[in-house]
Amino acid sequence: MTSFIDPLIAFVSTHPGLAYLTLFLAALLEAVPVVGAVIPGSTIIFALSALVPGGELKLEWVLIAAGAGALLGDGSAFWIGHRSQREILNAWPLSNYPSVVAQSEAFFNRWGALAVFFARFVPPIRAFVPVTAGALGMSRRMFYAVNIPAILLWAPAHVLPGVLAVSALHKYGGFAPHSGLAKHYWMLFVIGAAAIIALVVWIIHRRQGGGVVEPAAPARKNP
């Protein structure tokens, strides 16, 4: 992860316009079914927020870029599901992930509209619930009434911890905002935080029984 994030931060720190585009695309792709399950969008957003205290990026534009990407990604996935109905859940590429689709459907059936809100904070079903909500007939008005508040909370929850952590590192750790040592410690912080989040998600997943089990094949009838 460091081999990917470190050069990315070094590059976008000198190209603020591309940094905002990267934030937008990271949030957008994270909401795309299947793609969002493998794109480390949250980690990218979390890492690029390190550039705010040093002045390379503006906090308000970081929040706007991340929020806009998430809104467009979730909205597009919902629109596809709403247009295709249940057929999309059995079509490629979702057909390659039956257990995750089943888990998303069960999550939506259990929580209803609130599933759209909660899923924004829970990978990997974050990338599957919007399309599932559309496929199962959730109205557009209800979807956006839940999705927009979720994004308004999700964006600061991903950006502000990184901003505050780096600000504290600069203030109390004695590191200059642009020093290599500060960036080194920040990368360790990002990797550690990502590992902790992954561990928490894994523990919750295990305590819930490991997710939804795919239906067993029907038993053969005796001739």
Side-chain angles (χ1 to χ4, degrees):
M1 183 65 72
T2 305
S3 60
F4 168 72
I5 297 294
D6 211 2
L8 178 64
I9 292 179
F11 177 75
V12 300
S13 63
T14 57
H15 302 82
L18 292 179
Y20 296 125
L21 178 61
T22 301
L23 287 162
F24 175 82
L25 292 176
L28 173 72
L29 294 176
E30 194 179 44
V32 175
V34 180
V35 176
V38 296
I39 293 293
S42 295
T43 304
I44 293 173
I45 295 169
F46 195 55
L48 291 184
S49 66
L51 301 177
V52 173
E56 292 96 336
L57 301 180
K58 300 295 183 182
L59 176 59
E60 59 271 22
W61 286 108
V62 169
L63 292 171
I64 290 172
L71 182 62
L72 181 59
D74 286 353
S76 299
F78 173 80
W79 180 82
I80 293 173
H82 190 78
R83 184 181 178 88
S84 304
Q85 300 299 307
R86 291 194 65 94
E87 293 179 6
I88 190 65
L89 301 181
N90 299 316
W92 184 90
L94 296 183
S95 58
N96 293 335
Y97 300 86
S99 61
V100 182
V101 171
Q103 184 180 5
S104 301
E105 187 171 349
F107 189 74
F108 181 79
N109 289 331
R110 177 180 180 182
W111 295 102
L114 287 177
V116 176
F117 184 93
F118 294 141
R120 181 106 282 279
F121 301 88
V122 182
I125 61 172
R126 170 168 50 220
F128 290 85
V129 166
V131 69
T132 301
L136 297 183
M138 186 178 187
S139 69
R140 287 188 291 268
R141 179 177 298 181
M142 178 61 69
F143 174 80
Y144 285 109
V146 178
N147 182 242
I148 291 176
I151 290 174
L152 291 177
L153 289 177
W154 169 86
H158 278 64
V159 172
L160 294 182
V163 174
L164 295 175
V166 174
S167 297
L169 189 64
H170 296 166
K171 183 175 181 180
Y172 301 107
F175 300 113
H178 303 281
S179 69
L181 192 57
K183 292 182 178 180
H184 173 73
Y185 275 99
W186 167 238
M187 288 309 306
L188 291 178
F189 178 79
V190 169
I191 295 171
I196 292 173
I197 292 172
L199 178 61
V200 170
V201 171
W202 180 82
I203 292 174
I204 294 174
H205 186 69
R206 293 284 296 180
R207 293 189 65 178
Q208 291 179 344
V212 176
V213 179
E214 296 182 41
R220 295 182 180 179
K221 295 182 180 180
N222 295 326

